[in-house]
């Protein structure tokens, strides 16, 4: 078959949106309450990485500037607090995946998963590496335990989709001096728009309390809400599932037939035109 241009397909997210935005917050301290207040007000969504072994823990730290409350949320709060968001694993007791030996890491991982699934009544399939530490062995253990993605603490400063979901890197931390610049660039529809697919921000909610910087996250969420008409606000696992289904589309050799083996509709853009491929259906593109 002769073509006049190279084949190039682009992912289109649910609702016909070409971009996705997500948050990832670790440790489940009591400051998640205030963070969720802000996030929910602007329709932003994200993933909260909990240590089930620390739930209900009272933890007040004394420092040179006075005491600081790092207590964790209670078990009973998990469902009401995180409704509409994703609860993901962060290890039973926040042990470092690369510094405790395989069997202890396996226990940290699978025990945490079982606890969080019991508490939420849902499958827990996402994870964030405690201390950001990971290696090939940790990735294997997570894969065997049924985790499909794991967030690192490395950042990209770009808006690309991850190649290896067990080494998922965020765009930036919320303390990044470029945070708002990145948000503005992401929302802008200029000639670079096709490289703007995913804006991913991570952090800890206690940092807002410690630095008295709640306005920072409020400003970000408000900006995304006001400028995100072309942005899908989603949790990490929703983004993982959609991208994976997109990558699992099966193409004919000439690229004009596409089969969708997934259970959800997947949309693509080719040559400026939008095509939706229903679950378990083949679509022919002229
Ligand atoms: Zn942590």
């Amino acid at each position: 078959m002769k073509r006049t241009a190279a084949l190039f397909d682009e992912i289109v997210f649910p609702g016909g949106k070409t971009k996705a935005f997500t948050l990832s917050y670790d440790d489940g301290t009591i400051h998640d309450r205030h963070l969720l207040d802000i996030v929910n007000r602007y329709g932003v969504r994200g993933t909260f990485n909990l240590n089930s072994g620390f739930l209900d823990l009272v933890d007040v730290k004394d420092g040179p500037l006075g005491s600081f409350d790092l207590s964790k949320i209670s078990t009973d709060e998990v469902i009401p607090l995180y409704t509409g968001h994703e609860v993901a694993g962060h290890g039973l007791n926040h042990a470092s995946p690369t510094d405790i030996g395989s069997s202890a890491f396996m226990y940290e991982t699978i025990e945490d998963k079982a606890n969080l699934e019991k508490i939420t009544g849902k499958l827990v399939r996402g994870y964030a590496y405690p201390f950001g530490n990971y290696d090939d062995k940790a990735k294997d253990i997570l894969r065997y335990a049924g985790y499909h993605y794991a967030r690192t603490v490395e950042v990209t400063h770009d808006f690309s989709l991850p190649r290896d979901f067990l080494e998922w890197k965020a765009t930036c931390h919320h303390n990044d001096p470029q945070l708002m610049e990145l948000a503005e660039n992401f929302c802008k529809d200029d000639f670079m728009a096709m490289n703007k697919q995913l804006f991913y921000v991570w952090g800890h909610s206690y940092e807002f309390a410690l630095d008295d910087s709640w306005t920072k996250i409020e400003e970000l969420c408000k900006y995304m809400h006001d400028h995100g008409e072309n942005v899908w606000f989603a949790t990490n696992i929703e983004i993982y599932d959609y991208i994976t289904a997109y990558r699992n589309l099966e193409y004919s050799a000439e690229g004009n037939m596409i089969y969708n083996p997934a259970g959800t509709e997947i949309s693509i853009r080719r040559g400026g035109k939008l095509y939706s491929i229903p679950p378990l259906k083949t679509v022919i593109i002229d």
Side-chain angles (χ1 to χ4, degrees), residues 26-27 51 90 94 129-131 204:
D26 298 356
D27 297 356
N51 310 109
H90 196 39
H94 207 286
Y129 292 106
F131 307 105
H204 305 90

mmCIF file with all atom_site columns, all heavy atoms in Angstrom, residues 26-27 51 90 94 129-131 204, ligand 1:
data_model
loop_
_atom_site.group_PDB
_atom_site.id
_atom_site.type_symbol
_atom_site.label_atom_id
_atom_site.label_alt_id
_atom_site.label_comp_id
_atom_site.label_asym_id
_atom_site.label_entity_id
_atom_site.label_seq_id
_atom_site.pdbx_PDB_ins_code
_atom_site.Cartn_x
_atom_site.Cartn_y
_atom_site.Cartn_z
_atom_site.occupancy
_atom_site.B_iso_or_equiv
_atom_site.pdbx_formal_charge
_atom_site.auth_seq_id
_atom_site.auth_comp_id
_atom_site.auth_asym_id
_atom_site.auth_atom_id
_atom_site.pdbx_PDB_model_num
ATOM   1  N  N   . ASP A 1 26  ? 2.326  10.734 49.261 1.00 0.00 ? 26  ASP A N   1
ATOM   2  C  CA  . ASP A 1 26  ? 2.802  9.600  50.043 1.00 0.00 ? 26  ASP A CA  1
ATOM   3  C  C   . ASP A 1 26  ? 2.576  9.758  51.544 1.00 0.00 ? 26  ASP A C   1
ATOM   4  O  O   . ASP A 1 26  ? 2.549  10.879 52.064 1.00 0.00 ? 26  ASP A O   1
ATOM   5  C  CB  . ASP A 1 26  ? 4.326  9.438  49.852 1.00 0.00 ? 26  ASP A CB  1
ATOM   6  C  CG  . ASP A 1 26  ? 4.721  9.142  48.419 1.00 0.00 ? 26  ASP A CG  1
ATOM   7  O  OD1 . ASP A 1 26  ? 3.828  8.991  47.569 1.00 0.00 ? 26  ASP A OD1 1
ATOM   8  O  OD2 . ASP A 1 26  ? 5.934  9.068  48.160 1.00 0.00 ? 26  ASP A OD2 1
ATOM   9  N  N   . ASP A 1 27  ? 2.510  8.634  52.225 1.00 0.00 ? 27  ASP A N   1
ATOM   10 C  CA  . ASP A 1 27  ? 2.652  8.477  53.681 1.00 0.00 ? 27  ASP A CA  1
ATOM   11 C  C   . ASP A 1 27  ? 1.357  8.600  54.490 1.00 0.00 ? 27  ASP A C   1
ATOM   12 O  O   . ASP A 1 27  ? 1.349  8.241  55.652 1.00 0.00 ? 27  ASP A O   1
ATOM   13 C  CB  . ASP A 1 27  ? 3.710  9.423  54.277 1.00 0.00 ? 27  ASP A CB  1
ATOM   14 C  CG  . ASP A 1 27  ? 5.120  9.153  53.738 1.00 0.00 ? 27  ASP A CG  1
ATOM   15 O  OD1 . ASP A 1 27  ? 5.269  8.170  52.960 1.00 0.00 ? 27  ASP A OD1 1
ATOM   16 O  OD2 . ASP A 1 27  ? 6.045  9.903  54.069 1.00 0.00 ? 27  ASP A OD2 1
ATOM   17 N  N   . ASN A 1 51  ? 1.023  3.472  54.093 1.00 0.00 ? 51  ASN A N   1
ATOM   18 C  CA  . ASN A 1 51  ? 1.672  2.378  54.817 1.00 0.00 ? 51  ASN A CA  1
ATOM   19 C  C   . ASN A 1 51  ? 0.632  1.832  55.782 1.00 0.00 ? 51  ASN A C   1
ATOM   20 O  O   . ASN A 1 51  ? 0.352  2.448  56.811 1.00 0.00 ? 51  ASN A O   1
ATOM   21 C  CB  . ASN A 1 51  ? 2.875  2.889  55.621 1.00 0.00 ? 51  ASN A CB  1
ATOM   22 C  CG  . ASN A 1 51  ? 3.825  3.741  54.791 1.00 0.00 ? 51  ASN A CG  1
ATOM   23 O  OD1 . ASN A 1 51  ? 3.910  4.960  54.968 1.00 0.00 ? 51  ASN A OD1 1
ATOM   24 N  ND2 . ASN A 1 51  ? 4.531  3.103  53.883 1.00 0.00 ? 51  ASN A ND2 1
ATOM   25 N  N   . HIS A 1 90  ? 2.528  1.539  49.770 1.00 0.00 ? 90  HIS A N   1
ATOM   26 C  CA  . HIS A 1 90  ? 3.784  2.258  50.005 1.00 0.00 ? 90  HIS A CA  1
ATOM   27 C  C   . HIS A 1 90  ? 4.629  1.449  50.997 1.00 0.00 ? 90  HIS A C   1
ATOM   28 O  O   . HIS A 1 90  ? 5.481  1.986  51.672 1.00 0.00 ? 90  HIS A O   1
ATOM   29 C  CB  . HIS A 1 90  ? 3.451  3.651  50.542 1.00 0.00 ? 90  HIS A CB  1
ATOM   30 C  CG  . HIS A 1 90  ? 4.570  4.647  50.490 1.00 0.00 ? 90  HIS A CG  1
ATOM   31 N  ND1 . HIS A 1 90  ? 5.460  4.748  49.438 1.00 0.00 ? 90  HIS A ND1 1
ATOM   32 C  CD2 . HIS A 1 90  ? 4.950  5.607  51.386 1.00 0.00 ? 90  HIS A CD2 1
ATOM   33 C  CE1 . HIS A 1 90  ? 6.320  5.724  49.689 1.00 0.00 ? 90  HIS A CE1 1
ATOM   34 N  NE2 . HIS A 1 90  ? 6.041  6.255  50.860 1.00 0.00 ? 90  HIS A NE2 1
ATOM   35 N  N   . HIS A 1 94  ? 7.016  1.225  55.529 1.00 0.00 ? 94  HIS A N   1
ATOM   36 C  CA  . HIS A 1 94  ? 7.900  2.181  54.849 1.00 0.00 ? 94  HIS A CA  1
ATOM   37 C  C   . HIS A 1 94  ? 9.360  1.719  54.831 1.00 0.00 ? 94  HIS A C   1
ATOM   38 O  O   . HIS A 1 94  ? 10.298 2.525  54.879 1.00 0.00 ? 94  HIS A O   1
ATOM   39 C  CB  . HIS A 1 94  ? 7.794  3.571  55.506 1.00 0.00 ? 94  HIS A CB  1
ATOM   40 C  CG  . HIS A 1 94  ? 8.110  4.713  54.571 1.00 0.00 ? 94  HIS A CG  1
ATOM   41 N  ND1 . HIS A 1 94  ? 9.399  5.018  54.173 1.00 0.00 ? 94  HIS A ND1 1
ATOM   42 C  CD2 . HIS A 1 94  ? 7.307  5.609  53.952 1.00 0.00 ? 94  HIS A CD2 1
ATOM   43 C  CE1 . HIS A 1 94  ? 9.353  6.081  53.361 1.00 0.00 ? 94  HIS A CE1 1
ATOM   44 N  NE2 . HIS A 1 94  ? 8.098  6.441  53.208 1.00 0.00 ? 94  HIS A NE2 1
ATOM   45 N  N   . TYR A 1 129 ? 7.591  3.698  45.653 1.00 0.00 ? 129 TYR A N   1
ATOM   46 C  CA  . TYR A 1 129 ? 8.767  3.168  46.371 1.00 0.00 ? 129 TYR A CA  1
ATOM   47 C  C   . TYR A 1 129 ? 9.082  4.015  47.602 1.00 0.00 ? 129 TYR A C   1
ATOM   48 O  O   . TYR A 1 129 ? 9.345  5.222  47.468 1.00 0.00 ? 129 TYR A O   1
ATOM   49 C  CB  . TYR A 1 129 ? 9.996  3.183  45.458 1.00 0.00 ? 129 TYR A CB  1
ATOM   50 C  CG  . TYR A 1 129 ? 9.932  2.218  44.302 1.00 0.00 ? 129 TYR A CG  1
ATOM   51 C  CD1 . TYR A 1 129 ? 9.717  2.666  43.002 1.00 0.00 ? 129 TYR A CD1 1
ATOM   52 C  CD2 . TYR A 1 129 ? 10.109 0.850  44.507 1.00 0.00 ? 129 TYR A CD2 1
ATOM   53 C  CE1 . TYR A 1 129 ? 9.659  1.778  41.931 1.00 0.00 ? 129 TYR A CE1 1
ATOM   54 C  CE2 . TYR A 1 129 ? 10.055 -0.043 43.439 1.00 0.00 ? 129 TYR A CE2 1
ATOM   55 C  CZ  . TYR A 1 129 ? 9.827  0.427  42.161 1.00 0.00 ? 129 TYR A CZ  1
ATOM   56 O  OH  . TYR A 1 129 ? 9.775  -0.452 41.107 1.00 0.00 ? 129 TYR A OH  1
ATOM   57 N  N   . PRO A 1 130 ? 9.100  3.409  48.811 1.00 0.00 ? 130 PRO A N   1
ATOM   58 C  CA  . PRO A 1 130 ? 9.539  4.161  49.990 1.00 0.00 ? 130 PRO A CA  1
ATOM   59 C  C   . PRO A 1 130 ? 10.974 4.670  49.779 1.00 0.00 ? 130 PRO A C   1
ATOM   60 O  O   . PRO A 1 130 ? 11.825 3.921  49.272 1.00 0.00 ? 130 PRO A O   1
ATOM   61 C  CB  . PRO A 1 130 ? 9.486  3.120  51.116 1.00 0.00 ? 130 PRO A CB  1
ATOM   62 C  CG  . PRO A 1 130 ? 8.506  2.094  50.639 1.00 0.00 ? 130 PRO A CG  1
ATOM   63 C  CD  . PRO A 1 130 ? 8.671  2.056  49.151 1.00 0.00 ? 130 PRO A CD  1
ATOM   64 N  N   . PHE A 1 131 ? 11.228 5.883  50.118 1.00 0.00 ? 131 PHE A N   1
ATOM   65 C  CA  . PHE A 1 131 ? 12.527 6.565  49.916 1.00 0.00 ? 131 PHE A CA  1
ATOM   66 C  C   . PHE A 1 131 ? 12.911 6.639  48.429 1.00 0.00 ? 131 PHE A C   1
ATOM   67 O  O   . PHE A 1 131 ? 14.034 7.031  48.100 1.00 0.00 ? 131 PHE A O   1
ATOM   68 C  CB  . PHE A 1 131 ? 13.664 5.866  50.682 1.00 0.00 ? 131 PHE A CB  1
ATOM   69 C  CG  . PHE A 1 131 ? 13.369 5.661  52.139 1.00 0.00 ? 131 PHE A CG  1
ATOM   70 C  CD1 . PHE A 1 131 ? 13.024 4.402  52.636 1.00 0.00 ? 131 PHE A CD1 1
ATOM   71 C  CD2 . PHE A 1 131 ? 13.426 6.729  53.033 1.00 0.00 ? 131 PHE A CD2 1
ATOM   72 C  CE1 . PHE A 1 131 ? 12.742 4.215  53.967 1.00 0.00 ? 131 PHE A CE1 1
ATOM   73 C  CE2 . PHE A 1 131 ? 13.154 6.545  54.385 1.00 0.00 ? 131 PHE A CE2 1
ATOM   74 C  CZ  . PHE A 1 131 ? 12.802 5.283  54.854 1.00 0.00 ? 131 PHE A CZ  1
ATOM   75 N  N   . HIS A 1 204 ? 4.461  15.139 49.495 1.00 0.00 ? 204 HIS A N   1
ATOM   76 C  CA  . HIS A 1 204 ? 3.877  14.696 50.774 1.00 0.00 ? 204 HIS A CA  1
ATOM   77 C  C   . HIS A 1 204 ? 3.006  15.854 51.270 1.00 0.00 ? 204 HIS A C   1
ATOM   78 O  O   . HIS A 1 204 ? 3.477  16.999 51.263 1.00 0.00 ? 204 HIS A O   1
ATOM   79 C  CB  . HIS A 1 204 ? 4.952  14.437 51.828 1.00 0.00 ? 204 HIS A CB  1
ATOM   80 C  CG  . HIS A 1 204 ? 6.003  13.464 51.402 1.00 0.00 ? 204 HIS A CG  1
ATOM   81 N  ND1 . HIS A 1 204 ? 7.151  13.860 50.757 1.00 0.00 ? 204 HIS A ND1 1
ATOM   82 C  CD2 . HIS A 1 204 ? 6.066  12.122 51.538 1.00 0.00 ? 204 HIS A CD2 1
ATOM   83 C  CE1 . HIS A 1 204 ? 7.894  12.793 50.506 1.00 0.00 ? 204 HIS A CE1 1
ATOM   84 N  NE2 . HIS A 1 204 ? 7.268  11.716 50.961 1.00 0.00 ? 204 HIS A NE2 1
HETATM 85 ZN ZN1 . LIG B 2 .   ? 7.122  7.725  52.011 1.00 0.00 ? 1   LIG B ZN1 1
#
